[in-house]
């Protein structure tokens, strides 16, 4: 009966009326992300020694389909090494405007140095500000460039707009808070 | 005499302000309510819970460019929103919100007045469709006239048993009759159903909102209107909803009378019953489809009118036999 169908429609909408909205009011509330979300890259370190995992091999740059990565290697000083291998990345830059967040760099990396994290709030004003250098990518840095700039201006800690059920183990030593 | 005129003028002013306030917040209720039916949040950025949204909307509308299309009939184009707005506003004048004196115009022809005025508002819609010189508004205007021919008879026929039973056309007296004998929704349930369905068409709400079907007609009769002229139509449209709901509450649910022996407070009980119908219409809006206008006309003539007529004859027989007198 069509009348029953109409009543059923009313029932469905009434049930929805009393259920919790699915909308996430994003800037006010954090966005729930999945652990495998592809966000801003992180250059990880060895947890014991604190040495960088990156050995400056440029395989990530070779794997990058968007040509977003630039690596310039240099020889390690044996007395005071930066990384575990013979060489380390003297310059490591990722252009976040070119990056398509495919994760090929992470796949290509032989030492697991470059890993895609969760940060996605990268919007900024100048082209040059989208080139993330080693300092911006290393594990201890929390927040994107604009976020850190804003935090510095307001003298408040960086506020991240997401939450994850757990941080996947590849992101060794990364702490989001 | 002058004092009475003054009192009426003040009452009218208060009513107009109240109605415009109700309109402003009905847009908020509509948007938030529809959003909740669709598991969304709705506008919540302006003020707490988005409560200042109507003010933001008003400011936006005022500063929009007022466009008159080149092929428009200028006089009628200007007149149409004015007509729609005025008549929609005027219809509420006879609806009592409380016992003696809580009504702007306590006239003996109350029911007829409401019908006459709220149907005059259709001229606004039709003239807008005609004067815009554009095909979508024309289609919208034609549809609303075609629908009027359908639902108006059913609407009038559904009101007759109520009038017969109460023995008066005065809305205040109808409410007082219900206060004494019980609400008409109990005695006149078939009439209530017919009236409610037909008044959905009168308010041009889902499932009979084909006069402004977005998917087919852009925005129907007010496609070519912008700025405050558009706002006038928007107010008129929502006022039909407001007045229609208040009228059903008055005719079938006892108006301002306090139900279940609760203390009698003017305005409050009519407001509660009114809110019930506002919600009901919103609920239907969120749930149902839109009919084709020929389907609606066939339904109005083929189902609503015969049901209302038969029920009217039954009531007439009952009243003539001396029941309820």
């Amino acid at each position: 009966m069509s009348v029953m169908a109409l009543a059923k429609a009313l029932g469905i909408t009434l049930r929805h009326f009393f259920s919790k909205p699915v909308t996430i009011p994003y800037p006010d509330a954090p966005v729930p992300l999945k652990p495998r979300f592809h966000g801003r890259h992180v250059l990880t370190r060895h947890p014991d020694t604190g040495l960088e995992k990156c050995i400056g091999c440029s395989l990530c740059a070779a794997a990058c389909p968007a040509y977003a990565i630039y690596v310039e290697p240099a020889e390690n000083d044996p007395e005071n090494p930066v990384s575990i291998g013979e060489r380390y990345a003297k310059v490591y830059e990722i252009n976040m405007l070119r990056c398509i967040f495919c994760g090929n760099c992470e796949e290509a990396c032989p030492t697991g140095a470059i890993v895609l994290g969760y940060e996605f709030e990268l919007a900024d004003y100048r082209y040059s500000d989208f080139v993330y250098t080693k300092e911006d990518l290393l594990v201890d840095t929390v927040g994107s460039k604009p976020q850190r700039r804003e935090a510095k201006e307001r003298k408040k800690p960086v506020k991240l707009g997401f939450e994850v059920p757990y941080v996947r183990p590849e992101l060794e030593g990364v702490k989001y808070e | 005499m002058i004092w009475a005129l003054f009192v009426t003028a003040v009452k009218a002013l208060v009513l107009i302000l109240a109605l415009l306030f109700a309109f402003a917040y009905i847009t908020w209720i509509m948007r938030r309510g529809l959003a909740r039916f669709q598991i969304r949040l709705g506008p919540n950025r302006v003020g707490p819970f988005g409560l200042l949204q109507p003010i933001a909307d008003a400011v936006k509308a005022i500063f929009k460019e007022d466009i008159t299309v080149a092929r428009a009939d200028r006089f009628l184009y200007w007149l149409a929103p004015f007509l729609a707005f005025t008549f929609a506003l005027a219809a509420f004048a006879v609806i009592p919100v409380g016992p003696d004196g809580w009504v702007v115009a306590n006239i003996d022809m109350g029911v007829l007045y409401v019908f006459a005025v709220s149907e005059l508002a259709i001229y606004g819609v039709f003239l807008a469709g005609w004067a815009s010189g554009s095909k979508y508004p024309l289609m919208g205007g034609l549809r609303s006239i075609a629908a009027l021919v359908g639902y108006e008879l059913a609407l009038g026929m559904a009101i007759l048993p109520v009038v017969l039973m109460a023995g008066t056309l005065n809305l205040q007296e109808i409410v007082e009759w219900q206060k004494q004998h019980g609400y008409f929704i109990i005695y006149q349930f078939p009439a209530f159903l017919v009236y409610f369905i037909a008044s959905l068409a009168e308010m041009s709400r889902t499932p009979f909102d084909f006069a402004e079907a977005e998917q087919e007609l852009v925005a129907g009769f007010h496609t070519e209107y912008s700025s405050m002229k558009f706002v006038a139509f928007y107010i008129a449209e929502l006022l039909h909803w407001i007045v229609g709901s208040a009228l059903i509450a008055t005719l079938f649910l006892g108006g301002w009378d306090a139900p279940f022996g609760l203390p009698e407070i003017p305005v409050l009980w009519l407001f509660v019953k009114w809110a019930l119908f506002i919600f009901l219409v919103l609920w239907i809006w969120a749930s149902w489809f839109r009919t084709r206008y020929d389907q609606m006309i066939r339904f109005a003539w083929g189902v609503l009118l015969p049901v209302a007529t038969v029920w009217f004859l039954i009531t007439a027989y009952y009243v003539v036999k001396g029941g309820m007198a």
Side-chain angles (χ1 to χ4, degrees):
Chain A
M1 274 282 280
S2 55
V3 176
M4 288 310 292
L6 291 177
K8 200 176 161 189
L10 287 175
I12 289 168
T13 45
L14 194 67
R15 202 169 65 236
H16 285 170
F17 188 81
F18 290 110
S19 62
K20 195 174 170 289
V22 293
T23 314
I24 297 147
Y26 156 60
D28 300 339
V31 180
L33 296 178
K34 296 284 183 278
R36 290 189 182 187
F37 182 82
H38 279 179
R40 198 210 84 197
H41 314 66
V42 175
L43 279 171
T44 53
R45 290 174 186 274
H46 279 284
D48 313 332
T49 55
L51 292 173
E52 287 172 18
K53 284 187 194 170
C54 180
I55 51 170
C57 68
S58 290
L59 277 177
C60 48
C64 183
Y67 304 113
I69 306 180
Y70 173 73
V71 187
E72 205 177 299
E75 295 289 330
N76 260 328
D77 177 7
E79 299 296 304
N80 192 15
V82 178
S83 76
I84 40 155
E86 286 172 19
R87 300 197 298 175
Y88 72 101
K90 194 172 80 180
V91 177
Y92 193 100
E93 289 178 353
I94 299 181
N95 187 337
M96 290 298 168
L97 282 177
R98 300 214 58 150
C99 180
I100 59 169
F101 298 94
C102 63
N104 281 8
C105 46
E106 186 183 326
E107 305 257 326
C109 186
T111 59
I114 185 90
V115 187
L116 274 80
Y118 301 111
E119 291 171 16
F120 60 88
E121 293 150 305
L122 305 169
D124 213 334
Y125 295 98
R126 294 186 183 81
Y127 278 119
S128 57
D129 286 342
F130 284 94
V131 178
Y132 279 56
T133 58
K134 247 173 99 171
E135 291 75 54
D136 303 316
L137 296 169
L138 268 170
V139 87
D140 325 293
T141 314
V142 174
S144 67
K145 272 178 155 183
Q147 279 178 316
R148 278 183 285 130
R149 193 170 60 227
E150 195 183 315
K152 201 175 157 190
E153 275 167 18
R154 296 193 179 171
K155 298 190 172 60
K156 280 179 186 170
V158 169
K159 186 174 167 277
L160 296 171
F162 63 88
E163 57 182 17
V164 272
Y166 64 89
V167 176
R168 65 196 174 104
E170 285 86 344
L171 285 158
E172 205 166 20
V174 180
K175 283 187 182 65
Y176 292 111
E177 62 231 342
Chain B
M1 178 64 202
I2 289 180
W3 176 245
L5 247 158
F6 176 72
V7 168
T8 310
V10 169
K11 275 186 201 168
L13 198 68
V14 169
L15 182 71
I16 288 172
L17 289 178
L19 280 178
L20 289 180
F21 184 80
F23 153 74
Y25 278 90
I26 211 102
T27 61
W28 180 83
I29 286 165
M30 181 180 96
R31 294 170 72 183
R32 292 284 288 190
L34 278 180
R36 289 311 307 269
F37 277 119
Q38 296 158 0
I39 342 181
R40 294 184 289 118
L41 280 174
N44 64 350
R45 306 312 301 174
V46 195
F49 304 105
L51 273 172
L52 300 179
Q53 187 71 40
I55 297 164
D57 285 345
V59 171
K60 180 193 136 192
I62 289 165
F63 285 104
K64 280 215 161 188
E65 190 186 354
D66 192 6
I67 297 165
T68 305
V69 280
R71 289 175 63 189
D73 181 327
R74 285 185 173 255
F75 176 65
L76 293 181
Y77 184 80
W78 172 85
L79 186 69
F82 188 70
L83 279 181
F85 174 70
T86 313
F87 289 127
L89 209 54
F92 207 100
V94 291
I95 297 177
V97 294
D100 292 330
W102 284 87
V103 56
V104 174
N106 188 11
I107 54 174
D108 289 339
M109 286 289 155
V111 175
L112 284 184
Y113 170 83
V114 173
F115 273 68
V117 168
S118 61
E119 295 328 322
L120 272 175
I122 208 90
Y123 273 106
V125 173
F126 180 62
L127 286 180
W130 175 253
S132 288
S134 166
K135 57 193 163 209
Y136 294 125
L138 185 61
M139 288 301 293
L142 280 176
R143 282 184 184 193
S144 61
I145 287 286
L148 175 85
V149 176
Y151 70 75
E152 194 52 34
L153 272 161
L155 209 60
M157 215 38 145
I159 206 75
L160 280 179
V162 171
V163 172
L164 264 185
M165 248 184 148
T168 173
L169 281 164
N170 186 322
L171 282 167
Q172 187 70 280
E173 283 169 25
I174 288 179
V175 171
E176 256 150 34
W177 191 94
Q178 292 182 80
K179 196 176 164 62
Q180 276 179 19
H181 298 89
Y183 297 165
F184 274 125
I185 194 170
I186 305 164
Y187 302 118
Q188 301 283 352
F189 194 71
F192 166 74
L193 274 185
V194 170
Y195 186 86
F196 181 68
I197 294 167
S199 70
L200 280 177
E202 206 244 331
M203 303 174 204
S204 67
R205 292 279 137 232
T206 310
F208 307 123
D209 57 344
F210 37 71
E212 45 190 299
E214 289 92 350
Q215 290 84 349
E216 307 145 39
L217 299 180
V218 189
F221 58 90
H222 58 61
T223 305
E224 305 291 358
Y225 284 87
S226 64
S227 190
M228 288 317 277
K229 288 205 202 96
F230 167 76
V231 173
F233 272 124
Y234 201 58
I235 293 175
E237 206 175 288
L238 294 189
L239 276 179
H240 278 298
W241 183 12
I242 292 168
V243 174
S245 300
L247 195 62
I248 302 175
T250 305
L251 287 172
F252 291 97
L253 227 56
W256 48 263
D257 178 40
F260 315 119
L262 289 163
E264 205 165 87
I265 305 159
V267 184
L268 177 77
W269 291 113
L270 182 69
F271 181 80
V272 169
K273 291 163 184 176
W274 169 80
L276 200 74
F277 282 105
I278 291 284
F279 179 81
L280 194 59
V281 172
L282 195 67
W283 186 12
I284 287 172
W285 190 358
S287 312
W288 290 356
F289 48 87
R290 174 188 301 130
T291 56
R292 253 179 13 229
Y293 73 103
D294 63 307
Q295 288 171 330
M296 183 257 152
I297 292 164
R298 191 178 307 135
F299 179 69
W301 282 92
V303 180
L304 291 182
L305 187 61
V307 168
T309 312
V310 168
W311 184 252
F312 164 64
L313 290 175
I314 291 169
T315 311
Y317 180 77
Y318 181 70
V319 170
V320 166
K321 279 290 176 185
M324 243 37 219

